[in-house]
Amino acid sequence: MAVALETINLVKRFSGIVASNNVSLQIAKGARHALIGPNGAGKTTLINLLTGVQRPTGGRILLDGEDITSLSTHERVRLGIVRTFQINQLFNDLTPLETIGLAVSERRGQGLDWWRIVGSRPDLVAEVVEILERFHLADVIDKRTAVLPYGKQRLLEIALAIACRPRVLLLDEPAAGVPEDERHEILAAVAALPADVTVLLIEHDMDIVFSFADRISVLVNGALFVEGSPEEVARDPRVKAVYLGEEVADA
Amino acid sequence: MLTILFDGIAYGMLLFVLASGLAVTLGLMNFINLAHGSFAMAGGYVTVILVNRLGVPFFASLPIAFLASAVIGFVFERALYVHVYKKPHLDQVLFSIGLVFMSVAAADYVMGSGQIFVQIPKFLQGQFEIYGIGIGRYRLLIIVICGLLTVALQFILANTRFGSRLRAAVDDSRVARGLGINVNWVFALTFAFGSGLAGLGGALGAEILGLDPTFPLKFMIYFLIVVTVGGTSSITGPFLASLLLGIGDVAGKYYVPTLGSFVIYTIMIVVLIWRPQGLFSRAASR
Amino acid sequence: MLPPPIAIRVATEWLAARARWQPLEVGFWIVAFAAIWLFPDRHLILTEIAWLGLFALSLDLILGYAGIISLGHAAFFGLGAYTAALLAKYEIINEPVLALLVAGLAAMALGFVTSFLVLRGSDLTRLMVTLGVALLLRELANRLGWLTGGADGLQGVSIKPVLGMFRFDMFGHTGYAYSLIVLFILFLIARRLVNSPFGLSLLSVKGNPLRASAIGISVDGRLIAIYTVAAGFAGIAGALLAQTTSFASLEVFSFDRSADLLLVLIIGGAGYLYGGLIGAIIFKFMQDYLSALTPQYWPFWIGLVLVVIVMVGRDRITSWTAPFRRIASHLNWRALARHVAASSSERR
């Protein structure tokens, strides 16, 4: 099994609290890997560590065997680790056309071009339009992002990550907050992601997890708890206990 | 040497009284009030008018200066500031610079552009020596008054009901609101009190700092240094920062006059880069 | 799979619409250049407007496009002014245009070095740091009296003719034409820059730095770049002041200058390049009128304008400048209609 992304004994402490506890995770190339766990299990911290938003207290992160622990966020993006956000992080004053254009020109290394007017490269624009059409955004390409319906913003969130041509895509609850009748559009977009892209999905909704993932890791209290195929995880009594425990605690 | 230390402490304590109101404004509402010095100037001019023109005793003029500035602060807070709290920092900066400019021109119009000194009572002038340290009587008075104020301030914040409400509002104004604390009212009173302190500082400082219409501009950077270097999470931070600044400034001007304000500005920049939350601030308070 | 060509062309059209020259813009520059012949008796104030407009344009690049609040932009302006004045006084570089470039480069160098100070921290720390840098430079110019003339300013500067041909005169005729041409060239550069992929990425950094870095943009790199460029613009503006007045004094570094500059930009509105120019025109004529009434109390009116602008709301104050901004959606629709028509006729 070729490993795309790997963490070795990853530790993150915040003034006394251990948010990631010795996490050693392997994500296979082309995998549809889901990361689940109760609230506060450290899923978001792990994403932040993987993308370089936060620095680990200890441990290493490897991409295709190369150590990327000390690289900054944007350097990792250039190497192919791209994420989406649970809460939309978009450019409210830009249009989807401009937003995707940004990501594409950045990926092509043309983001520093200051002498060239935006939109003067037909091949670049073609790629942008292709992405927008694929994510059902063609009808709103000239609207300000802030005024788009929530479902469209959610699609743009994913489209923006795809425009970076990720090798490893970290999806943080892609369908979070999307009304029931718009959900299928998001899920279809997630299901249609290119097969060669490795996907790590963070999700609360078990229907989505079990319909999408071919491998599942369960995170509890910052540590890796159980890992296996969906069937194995579904059958595991310990996982049930954790989730039941959470439900009891919630009630 | 010790005389310089003494002068520095007096200067620093004065700065603290002048700037403490700003620390609270900044900490409580995250509001950048560059016009804080204008309230101090108001207190200074009130004292000048009372003492020099109307012959009111110096000591009687101090509480009046405090009250006058507090009232002005209260009126401005209710009439103008309250509309700007929620606006972006850029607006706050523009707004308060606008007030500074207006106050400078207004003071020029009313009081003239020259520097004015308060006629302090005879028994406060001059200095005496203890163990070879030259002690200015007036500076000693400043240390005593400002020291008492600092202790009182600490007591109010730590031990009174108002203090606990204020601290709650500083820590998390939404939660405080949820607890039924009238944050707006707390803030108006605090703003008025802070302006009053500034006014008192202006009154006391008129003698040492000199008073002229550009006072708010000249000392703006000093106040800002106190609050940014000291942090806004407690009053101890600004207090220590004031003392450091006061001693540093007096010593710097005495020993290395050619460097002027160089040292102060450089230290400020270094501290801000090194610890953007302030030198004495709780880590990651915001 | 490629999308249909029509969609690509429409998208291209939409993107290009940001950078298309509006009739109002063309008119603006025609009037500005016509003023060389139309208002010869107003050239002195027009010259001041030109360098102030350039200075405000420079602030717009960092405030309007990158979101950095600065209270010390005069640092770069002042450095440019002193550089140009010193170069002329000690006859190091006699040709004004060349001296202008050197002054701009000097300011860029300072901008690059100090840009690292504004990368981190809140608005307040940025404000303090920029203010501190300007104060430091002022103090430096004050202390280096043997070189700069200290508090008296740098006197006895004589500026040689531009390109060896056009002599500066006391009516400001040469000064205005010279300043306006410099302003126009730098404006064209700025206009290119903000409408480029680089300019777009600045807006993304300003709007959401977290996401900008998550799509591979080096946030720090972009801020350093634009801060450096803007510093160069400010330096050239300062150099224009020094060259057209043959004088540089400590006042070029003053806090008031940085604060006035904010006002200039805010009157015109930030984030669309013309704000600084329009603001400079309004500011200078307002100053001309009000300080003729009460020269001493002029700051009062500046202050009042600032307070009123904030209380009324910046957006509302500058809404009348909307035609200058790029939000011209009707234009996009016309372009779309044109292209649909063109492509359907092609098919036939």
Side-chain angles (χ1 to χ4, degrees):
Chain A
M1 177 187 82
V3 176
L5 187 64
E6 181 175 9
T7 69
I8 302 171
N9 299 331
L10 209 54
V11 177
K12 177 70 184 176
R13 280 190 215 96
F14 297 105
S15 54
I17 304 154
V18 182
S20 292
N21 190 359
N22 243 4
V23 177
S24 293
L25 186 67
Q26 289 193 336
I27 298 164
K29 264 207 175 79
R32 295 288 182 267
H33 200 128
L35 184 66
I36 63 173
N39 283 325
K43 299 185 297 275
T44 303
T45 302
L46 191 59
I47 288 243
N48 285 341
L49 293 176
L50 290 175
T51 53
V53 173
Q54 288 167 350
R55 289 296 149 99
T57 318
R60 297 195 300 151
I61 304 167
L62 307 181
L63 177 70
D64 293 333
E66 303 271 339
D67 193 323
I68 58 163
T69 319
S70 61
L71 297 186
S72 63
T73 303
H74 65 93
E75 287 165 333
R76 294 184 201 196
V77 173
R78 278 178 208 159
L79 291 178
I81 303 183
V82 184
R83 73 178 288 191
T84 66
F85 291 81
Q86 183 188 341
I87 297 162
N88 283 341
Q89 293 289 343
L90 296 167
F91 308 114
N92 280 332
D93 292 327
L94 302 185
T95 63
L97 185 60
E98 291 167 330
T99 304
I100 300 297
L102 261 175
V104 173
S105 62
E106 207 58 47
R107 197 199 71 231
R108 295 178 165 215
Q110 294 161 350
L112 272 170
D113 291 7
W114 62 268
W115 57 89
R116 199 166 50 70
I117 297 290
V118 168
S120 60
R121 279 183 187 271
D123 53 332
L124 194 152
V125 178
E127 186 183 337
V128 172
V129 173
E130 189 272 317
I131 293 171
L132 289 167
E133 289 194 333
R134 180 151 35 114
F135 286 89
H136 309 287
L137 291 162
D139 52 334
V140 292
I141 59 174
D142 68 325
K143 299 274 187 295
R144 273 180 71 231
T145 298
V147 303
L148 296 183
Y150 185 74
K152 290 282 185 193
Q153 293 192 11
R154 233 30 220 154
L155 282 169
L156 183 58
E157 181 73 41
I158 300 170
L160 185 52
I162 288 300
C164 302
R165 273 210 200 141
R167 289 199 283 166
V168 179
L169 178 62
L170 312 176
L171 286 173
D172 196 351
E173 298 195 31
V178 180
E180 203 57 49
D181 52 329
E182 291 173 45
R183 257 177 124 79
H184 65 276
E185 215 172 21
I186 311 274
L187 298 180
V190 171
L193 290 173
D196 56 334
V197 176
T198 308
V199 181
L200 178 64
L201 173 77
I202 286 86
E203 188 52 76
H204 260 303
D205 188 323
M206 289 305 141
D207 293 339
I208 299 180
V209 169
F210 282 97
S211 66
F212 174 81
D214 51 29
R215 193 152 188 89
I216 298 177
S217 296
V218 186
L219 206 62
V220 176
N221 291 331
L224 216 48
F225 187 60
V226 171
E227 190 185 314
S229 67
E231 295 75 30
E232 287 164 3
V233 171
R235 264 187 274 120
D236 196 307
R238 292 172 297 172
V239 176
K240 268 186 196 148
V242 165
Y243 273 88
L244 284 176
E246 192 197 21
E247 273 164 35
V248 172
D250 281 354
Chain B
M1 217 286 279
L2 285 170
T3 309
I4 291 165
L5 188 66
F6 177 79
D7 283 1
I9 291 173
Y11 185 32
M13 293 188 97
L14 190 60
L15 278 178
F16 173 69
V17 171
L18 280 165
S20 53
L22 183 62
V24 180
T25 331
L26 193 66
L28 181 51
M29 295 300 271
N30 192 17
F31 184 85
I32 301 179
N33 182 19
L34 299 181
H36 190 69
S38 300
F39 298 101
M41 179 175 70
Y45 276 121
V46 165
T47 308
V48 164
I49 294 173
L50 288 173
V51 175
N52 294 12
R53 297 203 188 154
L54 304 176
V56 177
F58 179 71
F59 283 105
S61 76
L62 293 180
I64 304 180
F66 174 88
L67 278 179
S69 292
V71 168
I72 297 173
F74 184 81
V75 170
F76 270 81
E77 202 274 343
R78 286 287 94 187
L80 296 175
Y81 278 90
V82 77
H83 303 292
V84 192
Y85 290 146
K86 290 278 168 277
K87 296 204 177 194
H89 281 154
L90 177 61
D91 281 303
Q92 302 176 356
V93 167
L94 293 168
F95 169 78
S96 53
I97 290 181
L99 286 187
V100 170
F101 281 167
M102 287 172 77
S103 70
V104 166
D108 192 347
Y109 181 74
V110 178
M111 302 298 297
S113 62
Q115 198 161 43
I116 302 178
F117 292 92
V118 179
Q119 293 160 6
I120 54 170
K122 279 258 158 29
F123 67 92
L124 285 175
Q125 293 169 8
Q127 58 175 24
F128 57 89
E129 288 204 358
I130 299 176
Y131 306 118
I133 310 168
I135 306 251
R137 289 169 203 269
Y138 188 70
R139 287 187 163 73
L140 183 64
L141 174 81
I142 284 180
I143 291 185
V144 170
I145 294 182
C146 295
L148 288 175
L149 278 173
T150 308
V151 173
L153 210 57
Q154 181 68 47
F155 179 81
I156 291 173
L157 285 175
N159 296 323
T160 64
R161 200 177 151 79
F162 185 79
S164 59
R165 290 181 170 206
L166 180 61
R167 274 180 289 123
V170 170
D171 281 345
D172 194 327
S173 62
R174 266 192 322 185
V175 172
R177 252 179 254 274
L179 290 171
I181 297 174
N182 188 339
V183 174
N184 291 341
W185 191 240
V186 167
F187 192 56
L189 285 182
T190 313
F191 192 95
F193 190 72
S195 305
L197 280 180
L200 180 61
L204 282 171
E207 173 64 19
I208 329 187
L209 305 177
L211 188 63
D212 66 71
T214 62
F215 182 89
L217 276 175
K218 268 196 295 193
F219 288 95
M220 180 175 76
I221 185 83
Y222 281 78
F223 301 156
L224 288 173
I225 291 175
V226 168
V227 294
T228 45
V229 171
T232 53
S233 52
S234 68
I235 66 161
T236 331
F239 182 70
L240 292 176
S242 305
L243 283 185
L244 272 184
L245 180 61
I247 296 169
D249 202 34
V250 171
K253 279 183 180 142
Y254 185 81
Y255 289 113
V256 277
T258 45
L259 286 178
S261 318
F262 241 80
V263 186
I264 299 291
Y265 298 146
T266 315
I267 292 175
M268 172 192 89
I269 292 176
V270 170
V271 167
L272 287 178
I273 297 307
W274 176 44
R275 294 206 55 179
Q277 296 293 331
L279 205 51
F280 307 105
S281 147
R282 285 179 300 201
S285 64
R286 206 161 284 274
Chain C
M1 190 194 72
L2 273 181
I6 171 73
I8 297 174
R9 280 171 61 181
V10 170
T12 307
E13 195 68 27
W14 264 320
L15 285 172
R18 306 169 82 247
R20 189 166 299 124
W21 282 85
Q22 313 272 332
L24 206 55
E25 289 185 82
V26 179
F28 178 91
W29 289 106
I30 289 177
V31 172
F33 277 99
I36 295 176
W37 297 277
L38 288 181
F39 312 110
D41 53 333
R42 302 292 265 174
H43 279 172
L44 285 174
I45 190 172
L46 287 174
T47 307
E48 290 182 24
I49 289 174
W51 62 250
L52 182 62
L54 178 59
F55 190 22
L57 174 69
S58 146
L59 182 67
D60 198 9
L61 287 178
I62 63 163
L63 181 64
Y65 286 88
I68 302 172
I69 301 185
S70 168
L71 262 186
H73 212 49
F76 309 116
F77 183 84
L79 182 69
Y82 268 98
T83 307
L86 287 170
L87 288 176
K89 181 174 164 91
Y90 296 103
E91 303 191 338
I92 303 165
I93 296 177
N94 286 317
E95 205 292 307
V97 177
L98 202 58
L100 201 67
L101 285 176
V102 174
L105 286 176
M108 278 179 92
L110 179 68
F112 177 75
V113 173
T114 53
S115 69
F116 293 91
L117 305 179
V118 299
L119 291 181
R120 303 270 168 271
S122 61
D123 284 343
L124 181 64
T125 42
R126 282 175 166 177
L127 211 116
M128 300 273 301
V129 168
T130 50
L131 180 60
V133 169
L135 287 171
L136 269 181
L137 282 187
R138 184 181 188 281
E139 202 58 33
L140 189 70
N142 190 18
R143 296 292 155 185
L144 298 178
W146 56 271
L147 180 69
T148 61
D152 297 330
L154 194 64
Q155 288 161 347
V157 177
S158 81
I159 307 290
K160 297 284 184 299
V162 180
L163 302 174
M165 291 185 285
F166 306 100
R167 192 167 294 283
F168 284 101
D169 55 278
M170 61 179 292
F171 307 104
H173 302 319
T174 309
Y176 178 58
Y178 173 60
S179 305
L180 183 64
I181 290 169
V182 171
L183 170 66
F184 186 60
I185 292 171
L186 289 177
F187 177 83
L188 290 181
I189 293 175
R191 199 177 182 285
R192 262 279 146 146
L193 191 145
V194 301
N195 287 317
S196 71
F198 173 71
L200 196 56
S201 74
L202 287 179
L203 290 179
S204 78
V205 167
K206 179 191 175 197
N208 191 340
L210 176 67
R211 188 55 185 254
S213 66
I215 59 172
I217 295 172
S218 161
V219 172
D220 288 359
R222 298 298 146 92
L223 291 181
I224 291 170
I226 194 62
Y227 202 74
T228 305
V229 170
F233 275 44
I236 291 178
L240 281 179
L241 165 72
Q243 291 181 339
T244 54
T245 59
S246 308
F247 184 62
S249 72
L250 292 183
E251 189 269 338
V252 290
F253 288 114
S254 73
F255 169 76
D256 300 42
R257 189 175 285 282
S258 297
D260 287 356
L261 185 70
L262 270 175
L263 173 60
V264 168
L265 183 58
I266 294 314
I267 300 177
Y272 69 106
L273 294 186
Y274 282 93
L277 309 186
I278 295 171
I281 297 169
I282 299 174
F283 182 86
K284 274 295 169 193
F285 280 111
M286 200 167 72
Q287 187 182 39
D288 203 36
Y289 174 74
L290 287 173
S291 51
L293 293 179
T294 54
Q296 203 178 352
Y297 309 121
W298 154 241
F300 182 86
W301 303 110
I302 296 188
L304 186 66
V305 171
L306 278 169
V307 170
V308 167
I309 285 180
V310 173
M311 296 313 274
V312 176
R314 275 185 283 138
D315 299 343
R316 246 177 283 173
I317 293 279
T318 54
S319 58
W320 63 275
T321 59
F324 273 98
R325 294 164 192 258
R326 65 183 167 92
I327 321 151
S329 51
H330 60 281
L331 188 132
N332 291 337
W333 285 113
R334 234 185 292 141
L336 175 67
R338 207 166 58 230
H339 274 290
V340 170
S343 78
S344 57
S345 66
E346 265 168 36
R347 238 173 284 154
R348 246 181 270 134

